[in-house]
Amino acid sequence: MTIQEVQDEIRRLKKENDICILAHSYQAKEILEVADFSGDSYALSKLAKTAPNKTVIMCGVRFMAETVKMLSPEKKVILSSPIAGCPMAEQMDIELIKQLKEMYPDYTVVAYINTTTELKTVCDVCVTSSSAVKIVKQLESDNILFIPDCNLGAYVQKQVPEKNFKLVQGGCPVHAAVTKRDAEQAKAAHPNAELLVHPECVPAVVELADYVGSTTGIMNYAKNSDKKEFIIGTENSIAEHLQYACPDKDFYVLSKALMCKNMKATTLIDVLNCCKGRSGEEIDLDPDTIAKAKKCIDVMISLGG
Ligand code: 13P
Ligand code: SF4
């Protein structure tokens, strides 16, 4: 079978079985092409609420599929690849957060959406990279305990200097591995290029950037810019998607190490087999956990717009 024949079969099965495919922007091009919607974590969370289909296949990582299930418990939600976790989401456990809450009772716990469902049950509000600043600014509390990504937390802290932040050590091992030296070398190799980075990168890299934003933010910035060259400081698939979308511009990866093996765990054949009901993992969350964890997603969507 050719790629196109596989894609056509996926499209046929989607219709036949009333399936919606959601894909994070880090997925491969051939998967994005069969998705009904693609985008950053925030866009996917909002779409999860409105997709009319009986079944949703989430091509991304586990916390994204769990978010879909929380927002649409009546739907059958399939994670495209059962091994696709997010190491950051599993860095902190509920006991640690309970201890921190006891130590800092007057702090609002703001959790990056890259957290487990269990962890979300003890947090006050979720944020994503594209909505964090807007949401934190609107919170009543001036005291913010930000988990689990201290790099995103440091970025938000800089944008919202009027509030007090406590950051907890944690973060995305893929983005956090990029160094200031990587950024300096990339800028020296491409002196006319703008550096666009994700806020999961360390502050020393973020400081050198011309633009800081979510995956969708980076893509929109590069597409709409008059500039012709860009160094992309997020998962390397974004540089590839941008190169296809903007053939008159040049895109360079900030570091070859910016590759998330979890986001890349899903193949087009996995998607085909999910549509046939022969692959993937159905997400199963108990109603009590959903009720407790969903609150912070609902606050995120109501404040994030
Ligand atoms: P965004 O989709 O919010 O840009 O986050 C990137 C990411 O690492 C998702 O796991
Ligand atoms: Fe998790 Fe980082 Fe991979 Fe995103 S890029 S899924 S935050 S490990």
Side-chain angles (χ1 to χ4, degrees):
M1 267 175 124
T2 63
I3 288 182
Q4 205 183 326
E5 284 166 342
V6 176
Q7 289 179 321
D8 286 346
E9 181 61 0
I10 290 171
R11 291 187 185 105
R12 191 188 68 73
L13 287 164
K14 278 200 304 179
K15 262 196 207 145
E16 191 175 284
N17 299 328
D18 194 21
I19 294 170
C20 168
I21 297 182
L22 300 181
H24 188 268
S25 318
Y26 289 160
Q27 296 295 299
K29 183 173 188 288
E30 63 266 26
I31 294 176
L32 296 183
E33 285 169 351
V34 294
D36 296 275
F37 304 102
S38 63
D40 64 9
S41 309
Y42 191 65
L44 294 178
S45 306
K46 290 213 307 186
L47 286 163
K49 253 183 111 149
T50 51
N53 312 71
K54 276 199 312 236
T55 300
V56 175
I57 297 175
M58 170 55 80
C59 302
V61 290
R62 182 170 296 276
F63 76 81
M64 295 177 174
E66 291 185 351
T67 303
V68 177
K69 186 68 187 175
M70 276 189 257
L71 292 172
S72 303
E74 73 291 355
K75 285 184 187 145
K76 183 173 180 176
V77 179
I78 310 288
L79 173 62
S80 54
S81 171
I83 59 165
C86 167
M88 161 153 51
E90 277 141 38
Q91 273 165 356
M92 286 172 196
D93 66 15
I94 200 163
E95 290 313 315
L96 172 74
I97 306 305
K98 280 183 182 165
Q99 277 171 23
L100 288 167
K101 282 172 75 150
E102 267 173 36
M103 281 167 69
Y104 307 111
D106 53 346
Y107 275 66
T108 293
V109 183
V110 178
Y112 196 14
I113 198 165
N114 301 38
T115 37
T116 61
T117 301
E118 191 195 22
L119 210 61
K120 287 183 177 90
T121 63
V122 291
C123 296
D124 297 308
V125 56
C126 274
V127 296
T128 67
S129 57
S130 58
S131 60
V133 171
K134 185 175 178 188
I135 291 171
V136 168
K137 275 185 178 167
Q138 293 176 74
L139 293 175
E140 253 176 51
S141 170
D142 283 340
N143 298 329
I144 308 297
L145 175 65
F146 197 98
I147 61 150
D149 187 347
C150 62
N151 294 325
L152 176 63
Y155 172 72
V156 178
Q157 181 172 26
K158 236 181 155 181
Q159 309 303 310
V160 193
E162 64 276 19
K163 299 209 175 195
N164 311 310
F165 283 75
K166 296 234 176 276
L167 308 178
V168 187
Q169 202 61 37
C172 165
V174 178
H175 287 82
V178 179
T179 62
K180 182 181 178 189
R181 192 170 150 77
D182 292 329
E184 287 168 345
Q185 282 178 342
K187 280 167 86 94
H190 307 290
N192 297 321
E194 283 197 322
L195 175 63
L196 318 183
V197 310
H198 198 281
E200 288 174 12
C201 291
V202 297
V205 171
V206 168
E207 272 165 26
L208 295 175
D210 297 290
Y211 172 80
V212 184
S214 75
T215 49
T216 298
I218 288 175
M219 291 183 83
N220 288 342
Y221 181 92
K223 284 177 187 169
N224 297 328
S225 169
D226 293 334
K227 295 272 168 25
K228 292 287 176 205
E229 290 182 64
F230 305 90
I231 302 161
I232 302 300
T234 190
E235 218 278 345
N236 288 338
S237 51
I238 299 298
E240 203 176 313
H241 300 326
L242 279 168
Q243 192 61 71
Y244 289 123
C246 311
D248 59 323
K249 298 180 179 180
D250 290 311
F251 297 92
Y252 313 105
V253 298
L254 170 55
S255 159
K256 290 276 183 202
L258 271 166
M259 215 170 63
C260 176
K261 67 176 179 2
N262 290 284
M263 279 288 185
K264 288 292 152 53
T266 300
T267 64
L268 189 64
I269 299 300
D270 288 331
V271 182
L272 175 67
N273 286 328
C274 285
C275 290
K276 290 178 179 169
R278 292 187 199 152
S279 184
E281 179 185 326
E282 182 171 353
I283 300 296
D284 182 22
L285 298 173
D286 79 82
D288 191 40
T289 306
I290 290 183
K292 285 187 193 142
K294 184 178 172 287
K295 281 189 246 162
C296 58
I297 304 275
D298 289 339
V299 180
M300 174 185 85
I301 292 176
S302 73
L303 297 180

